[in-house]
Amino acid sequence: WDWMPTYHATQARAAAGDLPGALEELTVSLRQNPRYVPSLLHAAFIEFNLATTEPPTASPNVLEAARAYAREAQKLCPPLPEAEDILGRAALLEADRLWARPENASADRERLLLEAADRFARAIAYGATNERELSELQTRVRASLTGPSAPSR
């Protein structure tokens, strides 16, 4: 079996903006080769991008699929900057969503912000190609931890 044509079809659909269709193709590719790290990472980024379109009050579970794909890729290749990147972004998005909720769970939000900062730092240390963007995200996290929207202790 050759999963590459399906993987390439995924890339084409994602480039055309059809993320649900790309994810559908990617699911087929991953069934054929569940250990192909680029497919796992692509699935993580697609799931994350789909989660960002959910309203701020959406359940944090919308990020779980992105996290699961990133963690699986990380199991296969532990020092993986792309996995750290997506896990950091997922933590940051979840923290932002907690801030938007009426109950504003400060302890959970602070934990997620610290996790995001740590993940971004690891991604940079592992050689991420988007170091500048990750540094900007770290700055945003630090501002969230110390600024007016900082979690109360």
Side-chain angles (χ1 to χ4, degrees):
W1 38 259
D2 185 6
W3 71 93
M4 289 307 290
T6 310
Y7 177 69
H8 291 301
T10 295
Q11 291 176 311
R13 286 182 93 162
D18 180 11
L19 296 183
L23 192 57
E24 193 176 297
E25 295 278 353
L26 203 47
T27 302
V28 172
S29 177
L30 283 167
R31 271 198 307 264
Q32 294 170 333
N33 185 357
R35 299 177 58 84
Y36 189 56
V37 172
S39 290
L40 291 166
L41 291 172
H42 206 107
F45 277 107
I46 289 172
E47 287 284 6
F48 175 78
N49 284 323
L50 289 171
T52 63
T53 65
E54 295 290 327
T57 55
S59 164
N61 294 335
V62 299
L63 293 163
E64 206 44 51
R67 286 186 174 115
Y69 283 122
R71 286 185 190 121
E72 186 61 29
Q74 209 169 33
K75 276 194 246 175
L76 296 169
C77 183
L80 194 60
E82 296 87 352
E84 294 292 348
D85 180 342
I86 197 69
L87 290 168
R89 288 172 193 267
L92 181 56
L93 181 59
E94 188 174 346
D96 287 348
R97 288 184 173 176
L98 282 176
W99 189 68
R101 291 174 182 265
E103 65 271 14
N104 193 3
S106 290
D108 288 337
R109 186 165 178 268
E110 182 176 19
R111 176 188 54 77
L112 288 162
L113 289 168
L114 292 170
E115 176 187 343
D118 182 57
R119 297 281 187 182
F120 295 144
R122 279 193 258 172
I124 291 168
Y126 293 159
T129 58
N130 59 337
E131 183 177 346
R132 183 175 179 187
E133 180 184 5
L134 293 172
S135 293
E136 289 170 0
L137 286 169
Q138 282 184 306
T139 300
R140 183 174 153 218
V141 167
R142 280 193 292 277
S144 294
L145 283 166
T146 59
S149 65
S152 58
R153 292 182 185 230

